Structure formats: structure tokens, C-alpha cells
Amino acid sequence: MYITKQNGQLIVPDNVDIPFIEGDGVGAEITAVCQRVVNAAVNLAYHHERSIIWQEVLAGGKAHAQTGEWLPSSTLQTFQDALIGIKGPLMTPVGGGIRSLNVTLRQTLDLYVCQRPVRWFRGVESPIKHPEDVDMCIFRENAEDIYAGIEWKAGTPEAQKFYQFLHEQMGVDKVRFPETSSFGVKPVSRQGTERLVRSAIEYALKNNKRKVTLVHKGNIMKYTEGGFREWGYELARNEFADALANGQLEINDCICDAFLQNTLLKPREYQVIATLNLNGDYISDQLAAMVGGIGIAPGANINYNTGCAIFEATHGIAPDIAGKDIVNPSSLILSAVMMLEYIGWNEASLLITNAMEQLFQQGIATIDLARFMENGHPVGTQAFGNALVEEMKK
């Protein structure tokens, strides 16, 4: 049975069907380990009274090999029907057509929030002195900004036509080299801003996090990034006035370059971050590096209105290490933890995160993390999954 949404609440059956995309490259390895760990956690937490039935759907290289399509319509339909899904990393098709499978999934299903929680696990080495101070959740806008993909290549008739419109109709004379310029359009809307900021604030209030920071470059891009800032403040004042008045909520903003510096110097100042697409890309990768790297960074793409959500590994397909049993499965496993929390199965999610931290404190990790640990004991992908299951049983 699939998850449904009624009266604003997710209805989760005890035996729930969850569609998954295995992913390309290392996807097959991390997906198998992730499912084994999640199954064990659910069985242990609920004494076999709940279960996940994994339903494979196709996308990426595996889909193209079997169907001739990179992203079959049946996959999109299944995610729409099931509401919740999870995926491994997907390759970017070479040539024309789909520019990015990940972006296509997000935009087609209108998964307007890219949610990236960042926390430190004890035992993991970090390049900063106090990684324990890093505990943030990023709400990155997923549907607008330059990731909308509206651009024209230099030297094409489309680029020339666009420049002519700018120059002749709009009076733009600041394009220094128009003959060799490519052009892109950066749409940022009030509606897109409001639904993102609303989701970030609601998350903050639900999780007892008082500070929400709007990160932007509004000092330069005054009507797009600046609009994001102004619309975000307006939304907070109009819809969350009581929370602001009683001190339950604090809204502030920070210019993106200053924010990147501040996260290194005073990370405790930040809890929930709301930002546009490109800024969110940089921010999420820097924060992940501060707590150990992209290998332990989870992520989700969510539409809080419809309830539809796809949880995903945040790293690439890593073809150079595929099949070698050395890839770190933690990003996908922790994304599955986010999925369990999203559907309200918190007991199972806590089993996984607690067991993972115990292993890291013992120096047990895949080679990417273990090589930096003082007492590191590198293990393979499968062995790490097995160790997680055994640790949960304790």
C-alpha cells in the first residue's frame, strides 16, 4: 500500500510500498546496503509489525538500457502515486534532451524544497576546530533561479535574438561583448519564495529551532535575490506574527559570501537556512565538508503542499570506484533516515543514527572517513552495512 495524504496529514500504512531508483555507478552497492540497514531498523524498532516493501522503478543508465528512455513516464507516475520515494545517484545523459535527471525529477514533480540537514557525528574528523557547533538545516529553493535552465548559447540565432530584444526593446547597453556572449535568465517569484520560506519556518517551529536565516545576494541582484529577501520577511510578518512576537521565531538575513565566512567563524549563529538554488548548492557542499564530507550528507526533495518527497544520495555516481566495495553508503542511509522521520517512524531512524555514531567513535568506517580517523579501521561497503545492523541489535 502507498502512503496517502488526507487533511494535510500523511497516512502511512504499517506495511508500506516505497519506490526506489537504484542509481548508476555506485548506486547498486549503496542501495542494497541501505535497504538492508533500513529493513533491520524497522524490524527492530517495531518488532516486525511494520515493514517497507521496496518497489524498483527505473531511471538513468539502467532505464536507458532496458527501455531506451532515461526517465520513463511510468517512474514519474509511480512517485506521484506513492508520494514518497528514494533514489541513488544518477548519471547525466550525454548529448541533447534531458540536461539533468535530478533536476528533471525535481521540476516535473514540483519538489520545490531541497532539504539538506547538516550535523557532525562524533568520531568523524573535521577540518574545523569545533564541528559540534555545526547543526543546521538548509532549505534550498529547487524550481527557480538559474537552475530553471533558461539560457542560450553564444553564437546561436537565439542568443542574437535575445540580445536584440534586450538592447532594442529594453534599452540594455551593459553587455560588453554581445557577439560572443551566452545568456541566461534567473526567474525568482514571490510565490516560489513564499512557499520555500513558509516551509523553512514551519520546520523550524516544529523542531524547536528559533533562528531562520534568509541567505541571498540582494545587494547586487536587487530584484531577484533582493526580492527573495523582502518577500521572505513579508511572509514571516504576515503569517507568523505571533511566533515572532513571543520570541519563538527569529528571522534574519545574510549576504551569501558573508554567510559562507560566518559558518566557519560562528556556526552556532545559524539553525535553519532558506536560500535560492545556486546559493544553496554552494552552501550545502561547504557545510557538508565542515562535518566530514559529502559521503555523510543526506538530502531530500520535498513538496510540502502535496506531500510528495524523494530522498536521495547527495554525491555522484563515482564510476571509478563502482563495484570495488569501497564506496561510503552513509549519504543514502542518512537520506533514508530523513525518509523515516518524514513518515513518522522516528524510533527506526534513531536506531540507525545512534548505531552509525557508535561505529564512527570506534573508528569503523569506509576508507574515505577511516583514513582520517586517529583509530580508523577501514571496512568495505558491505561490511559497514553489516556492522550497522549488528550495532543496532545491541
Side-chain angles (χ1 to χ4, degrees), residues 20-34:
F20 73 94
I21 296 170
E22 182 180 75
D24 298 312
V26 296
E29 296 167 84
I30 63 174
T31 295
V33 169
C34 174

Side-chain angles (χ1 to χ4, degrees), residues 3-5 8-12 18 46 79 82-86 110-113 115 139 199 203 206-207 299-311 334-350:
I3 294 169
T4 58
K5 190 174 184 180
Q9 300 294 321
L10 292 179
I11 308 301
V12 184
I18 300 288
Y46 306 113
F79 280 133
L83 286 187
I84 310 299
I86 191 166
D110 197 22
L111 306 176
Y112 60 86
V113 170
Q115 186 175 321
F139 277 68
S199 297
Y203 173 90
K206 182 180 178 180
N207 291 277
N301 302 287
I302 304 172
N303 183 317
Y304 279 97
N305 297 327
T306 64
C308 189
I310 298 179
F311 301 82
L334 291 173
S335 297
V337 165
M338 293 179 68
M339 181 185 74
L340 292 170
E341 292 171 347
Y342 187 74
I343 66 175
W345 292 12
N346 296 318
E347 297 84 358
S349 71
L350 279 171

Side-chain angles (χ1 to χ4, degrees), residues 20-232:
F20 73 94
I21 296 170
E22 182 180 75
D24 298 312
V26 296
E29 296 167 84
I30 63 174
T31 295
V33 169
C34 174
Q35 290 177 353
R36 187 162 74 250
V37 169
V38 171
N39 289 343
V42 170
N43 289 337
L44 289 166
Y46 306 113
H47 310 290
H48 298 273
E49 293 180 359
R50 290 179 176 175
S51 67
I52 293 175
I53 299 94
W54 301 101
Q55 176 187 355
E56 184 172 11
V57 293
L58 297 176
K62 191 172 184 179
H64 194 259
Q66 293 187 22
T67 70
E69 298 180 85
W70 291 102
L71 184 58
S73 59
S74 58
T75 294
L76 292 168
Q77 187 62 54
T78 299
F79 280 133
Q80 288 179 321
D81 294 341
L83 286 187
I84 310 299
I86 191 166
K87 57 175 282 295
L90 292 174
M91 65 191 301
T92 299
V94 177
I98 293 177
R99 296 166 58 122
S100 165
L101 293 170
N102 292 322
V103 172
T104 301
L105 275 168
R106 295 165 188 166
Q107 293 188 345
T108 303
L109 298 172
D110 197 22
L111 306 176
Y112 60 86
V113 170
C114 179
Q115 186 175 321
R116 295 280 293 271
V118 183
R119 58 154 290 190
W120 178 66
F121 286 90
R122 287 174 292 177
V124 175
E125 288 297 311
S126 165
I128 63 174
K129 288 184 178 180
H130 295 288
E132 68 276 7
D133 291 345
V134 181
D135 186 5
M136 306 179 205
C137 190
I138 304 155
F139 277 68
R140 169 188 173 190
E141 204 288 319
N142 242 353
E144 299 189 314
D145 199 7
I146 63 172
Y147 277 72
I150 307 170
E151 60 176 351
W152 298 277
K153 184 179 178 181
T156 62
E158 293 81 7
Q160 183 180 16
K161 183 177 181 180
F162 184 72
Y163 172 70
Q164 287 176 343
F165 168 75
L166 288 178
H167 184 62
E168 298 172 8
Q169 302 295 320
M170 303 299 292
V172 173
D173 59 3
K174 295 181 180 180
V175 181
R176 189 175 297 273
F177 304 109
E179 294 82 7
T180 58
S181 291
S182 294
F183 298 95
V185 175
K186 176 188 176 76
V188 177
S189 70
R190 176 187 286 272
Q191 292 93 327
T193 296
E194 287 180 342
R195 66 181 185 174
L196 178 87
V197 175
R198 182 183 297 113
S199 297
I201 292 174
E202 289 175 344
Y203 173 90
L205 294 174
K206 182 180 178 180
N207 291 277
N208 298 314
K209 295 180 181 293
R210 185 168 58 90
K211 296 181 180 180
V212 176
T213 303
L214 308 173
V215 178
H216 61 91
K217 191 64 176 174
N219 58 325
I220 302 299
M221 290 172 276
K222 298 184 184 297
Y223 304 123
T224 51
E225 305 256 346
F228 174 83
R229 175 186 180 276
E230 294 304 316
W231 295 326

Side-chain angles (χ1 to χ4, degrees), residues 194-392:
E194 287 180 342
R195 66 181 185 174
L196 178 87
V197 175
R198 182 183 297 113
S199 297
I201 292 174
E202 289 175 344
Y203 173 90
L205 294 174
K206 182 180 178 180
N207 291 277
N208 298 314
K209 295 180 181 293
R210 185 168 58 90
K211 296 181 180 180
V212 176
T213 303
L214 308 173
V215 178
H216 61 91
K217 191 64 176 174
N219 58 325
I220 302 299
M221 290 172 276
K222 298 184 184 297
Y223 304 123
T224 51
E225 305 256 346
F228 174 83
R229 175 186 180 276
E230 294 304 316
W231 295 326
Y233 273 122
E234 287 180 19
L235 182 281
R237 290 193 297 265
N238 292 338
E239 297 187 14
F240 300 93
D242 290 344
L244 288 168
N246 64 27
Q248 191 180 4
L249 174 67
E250 176 186 322
I251 297 288
N252 54 50
D253 72 279
C254 188
I255 293 172
C256 57
D257 45 334
F259 175 79
L260 291 173
Q261 174 181 250
N262 291 345
T263 55
L264 292 169
L265 299 176
K266 47 182 181 180
R268 283 189 178 182
E269 293 291 314
Y270 303 105
Q271 294 177 324
V272 178
I273 314 304
T275 190
L276 288 168
N277 212 322
L278 183 60
N279 294 333
D281 201 353
Y282 303 147
I283 289 167
S284 55
D285 280 6
Q286 175 179 299
L287 292 179
M290 290 165 60
V291 296
I294 200 79
I296 52 172
N301 302 287
I302 304 172
N303 183 317
Y304 279 97
N305 297 327
T306 64
C308 189
I310 298 179
F311 301 82
E312 64 179 354
T314 59
H315 54 74
I317 65 173
D320 55 321
I321 61 172
K324 296 182 179 179
D325 193 40
I326 59 175
V327 63
N328 188 348
S330 298
S331 174
L332 189 61
I333 292 171
L334 291 173
S335 297
V337 165
M338 293 179 68
M339 181 185 74
L340 292 170
E341 292 171 347
Y342 187 74
I343 66 175
W345 292 12
N346 296 318
E347 297 84 358
S349 71
L350 279 171
L351 275 176
I352 297 172
T353 52
N354 290 341
M356 187 175 289
E357 189 158 51
Q358 287 295 321
L359 291 185
F360 290 155
Q361 288 184 279
Q362 298 167 40
I364 299 172
T366 48
I367 185 65
D368 59 312
L369 298 180
R371 60 182 173 172
F372 298 115
M373 296 173 171
E374 188 173 335
N375 62 334
H377 303 290
V379 296
T381 308
Q382 300 296 324
F384 183 73
N386 294 339
L388 265 178
V389 171
E390 292 304 312
E391 190 67 34
M392 287 191 290

